[in-house]
């Protein structure tokens, strides 16, 4: 069955100043999914926008291609906020994870997502990056690794919603 998940996130930006860092969402993410290919639940799956398939971490020995992709990646900036809405499509089939003795679900029992961001420090003329994920204690404030100026505040966990 084709399943679709919507992932939403919002960051608060500092007031405009000379230390503007041109923060942006990178077009990649990691999402926990139950993978019928390797028969394991809660696998971290790596996605990059534009790629035809994702990569499942599988087990400790090997990663493998996953029938999944980022179908939509929409960014909105305004009023001191940077908002992301991403749509992920993936194929899912029922199975039983024998190692953990539990059935798979269309959206894994405890969904988890990691989102990546980048920025440009005008003062040091260097790029920087960081990530945010759904299982962090919030609020989290990010500062520039080069000049220590505030870059963004992450006050709420990214949303993960099964659409189909």
């Amino acid at each position: 069955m084709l399943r679709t998940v919507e992932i939403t996130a919002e960051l608060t930006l500092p007031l405009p100043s000379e230390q503007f860092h041109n923060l942006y969402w990178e077009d990649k993410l990691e999402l926990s999914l139950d993978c019928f290919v390797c028969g394991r639940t809660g696998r971290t799956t790596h996605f990059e926008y534009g790629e035809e398939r994702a990569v499942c971490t599988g087990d400790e020995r090997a990663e493998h291609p996953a029938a999944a992709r980022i179908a939509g990646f929409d960014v909105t900036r305004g009023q001191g906020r940077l908002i992301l809405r991403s749509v992920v499509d993936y194929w899912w089939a029922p199975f039983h994870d024998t190692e953990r003795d539990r059935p798979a679900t269309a959206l894994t029992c405890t969904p988890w997502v990691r989102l990546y961001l980048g920025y440009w420090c005008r003062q040091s003329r260097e790029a920087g990056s960081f990530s945010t994920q759904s299982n962090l204690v919030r609020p989290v404030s990010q500062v520039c690794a080069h000049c220590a100026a505030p870059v963004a505040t992450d006050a709420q966990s990214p949303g993960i919603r099964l659409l189909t």
Side-chain angles (χ1 to χ4, degrees), residues 69-91:
R69 68 184 184 103
I70 297 175
F73 198 87
D74 182 47
V75 175
T76 306
R77 177 186 297 270
Q79 299 178 352
R81 300 181 310 158
L82 184 63
I83 301 167
L84 170 69
R85 179 181 180 269
S86 184
V87 176
V88 170
D89 287 339
Y90 63 98
W91 286 98

Side-chain angles (χ1 to χ4, degrees), residues 139-154:
V140 176
S141 294
Q142 298 292 336
V143 296
C144 177
H146 310 294
C147 71
V151 176
T153 300
D154 185 2

Side-chain angles (χ1 to χ4, degrees), residues 9-131:
E10 180 179 325
L11 298 178
T12 304
L13 304 175
L15 296 173
S17 70
E18 290 181 13
Q19 297 190 344
F20 176 72
H21 280 78
N22 193 29
L23 182 66
Y24 59 92
W25 294 102
E26 292 186 5
D27 55 0
K28 62 182 180 179
L29 60 90
E30 295 174 0
L31 176 64
S32 60
L33 295 174
D34 292 353
C35 179
F36 68 89
V37 175
C38 60
R40 299 287 310 280
T41 57
R43 298 293 83 201
T44 299
T45 308
H46 303 271
F47 293 83
E48 287 197 40
Y49 187 56
E51 292 294 320
E52 294 179 2
R53 60 184 176 211
V55 176
C56 174
T57 57
D59 58 21
E60 296 81 34
R61 294 177 296 267
E63 296 180 338
H64 63 83
R69 68 184 184 103
I70 297 175
F73 198 87
D74 182 47
V75 175
T76 306
R77 177 186 297 270
Q79 299 178 352
R81 300 181 310 158
L82 184 63
I83 301 167
L84 170 69
R85 179 181 180 269
S86 184
V87 176
V88 170
D89 287 339
Y90 63 98
W91 286 98
W92 179 83
F95 67 92
H96 189 83
D97 184 337
T98 55
E99 187 170 320
R100 294 184 176 162
D101 191 29
R102 67 176 166 202
T105 57
L107 184 58
T108 194
C109 291
T110 54
W112 169 89
V113 67
R114 176 180 289 138
L115 304 166
Y116 293 89
L117 296 105
Y119 61 88
W120 176 255
C121 178
R122 292 192 322 187
Q123 184 176 345
S124 68
R125 298 180 190 264
E126 292 185 70
S129 64
F130 63 93
S131 67

